[in-house]
Coordinates of all heavy atoms in Angstrom, one line a residue:
K1217 N 0.2 4.7 14.3 CA 0.1 6.0 13.7 C -0.9 6.8 14.5 O -1.9 6.3 15.1 CB -0.3 6.0 12.2 CG -1.6 5.5 11.8 CD -1.8 5.5 10.3 CE -1.0 4.5 9.6 NZ -1.3 4.4 8.1
P1218 N -0.7 8.2 14.7 CA -1.6 9.0 15.5 C -3.0 9.0 15.0 O -3.3 8.8 13.8 CB -1.0 10.4 15.3 CG 0.4 10.2 14.9 CD 0.4 8.9 14.1
T1219 N -4.0 9.3 15.9 CA -5.4 9.2 15.6 C -5.8 9.9 14.3 O -6.5 9.4 13.5 CB -6.2 9.7 16.8 OG1 -5.9 8.8 17.9 CG2 -7.7 9.6 16.5
A1220 N -5.2 11.2 14.2 CA -5.6 12.0 13.0 C -5.2 11.3 11.7 O -5.9 11.2 10.7 CB -5.0 13.4 13.1
D1221 N -4.0 10.7 11.7 CA -3.5 10.0 10.5 C -4.3 8.7 10.3 O -4.6 8.3 9.1 CB -2.0 9.5 10.7 CG -1.1 10.7 10.6 OD1 -1.6 11.9 10.4 OD2 0.1 10.5 10.7
A1222 N -4.7 8.1 11.4 CA -5.5 6.8 11.3 C -6.9 7.2 10.6 O -7.4 6.4 9.8 CB -5.7 6.2 12.6
K1223 N -7.4 8.3 11.1 CA -8.7 8.7 10.5 C -8.5 9.0 9.0 O -9.4 8.7 8.2 CB -9.3 9.9 11.2 CG -9.8 9.5 12.6 CD -10.6 10.7 13.2 CE -11.1 10.2 14.6 NZ -11.6 11.3 15.4
G1224 N -7.4 9.7 8.7 CA -7.1 9.9 7.3 C -7.0 8.7 6.5 O -7.5 8.6 5.4
E1225 N -6.4 7.7 7.1 CA -6.3 6.4 6.4 C -7.6 5.7 6.1 O -7.9 5.2 5.1 CB -5.4 5.4 7.1 CG -5.3 4.1 6.3 CD -4.5 2.9 6.8 OE1 -3.7 3.1 7.7 OE2 -4.7 1.8 6.3
V1226 N -8.5 5.8 7.1 CA -9.9 5.2 7.0 C -10.6 5.9 5.8 O -11.2 5.2 4.9 CB -10.7 5.3 8.3 CG1 -12.1 4.8 8.0 CG2 -10.0 4.5 9.4
T1227 N -10.5 7.2 5.7 CA -11.1 7.9 4.6 C -10.5 7.5 3.3 O -11.2 7.2 2.3 CB -11.0 9.4 4.8 OG1 -11.5 9.8 6.0 CG2 -11.7 10.2 3.7
Y1228 N -9.2 7.5 3.2 CA -8.5 7.1 2.0 C -8.9 5.6 1.6 O -9.2 5.4 0.5 CB -7.0 7.1 2.3 CG -6.0 6.7 1.3 CD1 -6.1 7.2 0.0 CD2 -4.9 5.9 1.6 CE1 -5.2 6.8 -1.0 CE2 -3.9 5.6 0.6 CZ -4.1 6.0 -0.7 OH -3.2 5.7 -1.6
A1229 N -8.9 4.7 2.6 CA -9.3 3.3 2.4 C -10.7 3.2 1.9 O -11.0 2.5 0.9 CB -9.1 2.5 3.6
A1230 N -11.6 3.9 2.5 CA -13.0 3.8 2.1 C -13.2 4.3 0.7 O -14.0 3.8 -0.1 CB -13.9 4.5 3.1
N1231 N -12.5 5.4 0.4 CA -12.6 6.0 -0.9 C -12.3 5.0 -2.1 O -12.8 5.2 -3.2 CB -11.8 7.2 -1.0 CG -12.4 8.4 -0.2 OD1 -13.5 8.3 0.2 ND2 -11.6 9.4 0.0
F1232 N -11.5 4.0 -1.8 CA -11.2 3.0 -2.9 C -12.5 2.2 -3.1 O -12.8 1.9 -4.3 CB -10.1 2.0 -2.5 CG -8.7 2.6 -2.6 CD1 -8.0 3.0 -1.5 CD2 -8.2 2.8 -3.9 CE1 -6.7 3.6 -1.6 CE2 -6.9 3.4 -4.0 CZ -6.2 3.8 -2.9
F1233 N -13.3 1.9 -2.1 CA -14.6 1.2 -2.3 C -15.5 2.1 -3.1 O -16.2 1.7 -4.0 CB -15.2 0.8 -1.0 CG -14.5 -0.4 -0.4 CD1 -14.7 -0.8 0.9 CD2 -13.7 -1.3 -1.2 CE1 -14.1 -1.9 1.5 CE2 -13.1 -2.4 -0.6 CZ -13.3 -2.7 0.7
E1234 N -15.6 3.4 -2.7 CA -16.5 4.3 -3.4 C -16.1 4.4 -4.8 O -16.9 4.3 -5.7 CB -16.4 5.7 -2.7 CG -17.4 6.7 -3.3 CD -17.2 8.1 -2.8 OE1 -16.1 8.5 -2.6 OE2 -18.2 8.7 -2.5
W1235 N -14.8 4.6 -5.1 CA -14.3 4.8 -6.4 C -14.6 3.6 -7.3 O -15.1 3.7 -8.4 CB -12.8 5.1 -6.4 CG -12.4 5.9 -7.6 CD1 -12.4 7.3 -7.7 CD2 -12.0 5.4 -8.9 NE1 -12.0 7.6 -9.0 CE2 -11.8 6.5 -9.7 CE3 -11.9 4.1 -9.4 CZ2 -11.4 6.4 -11.0 CZ3 -11.5 4.0 -10.7 CH2 -11.3 5.1 -11.5
F1236 N -14.3 2.4 -6.8 CA -14.5 1.2 -7.6 C -15.9 0.8 -7.7 O -16.3 0.1 -8.6 CB -13.6 0.0 -7.1 CG -12.1 0.3 -7.5 CD1 -11.2 0.6 -6.5 CD2 -11.7 0.2 -8.8 CE1 -9.9 0.9 -6.9 CE2 -10.4 0.4 -9.2 CZ -9.5 0.8 -8.2

Side-chain angles (χ1 to χ4, degrees):
K1217 66 179 74 173
T1219 299
D1221 287 2
K1223 285 187 177 165
E1225 179 181 345
V1226 176
T1227 304
Y1228 179 46
N1231 287 348
F1232 283 105
F1233 283 163
E1234 183 186 44
W1235 206 91
F1236 286 108

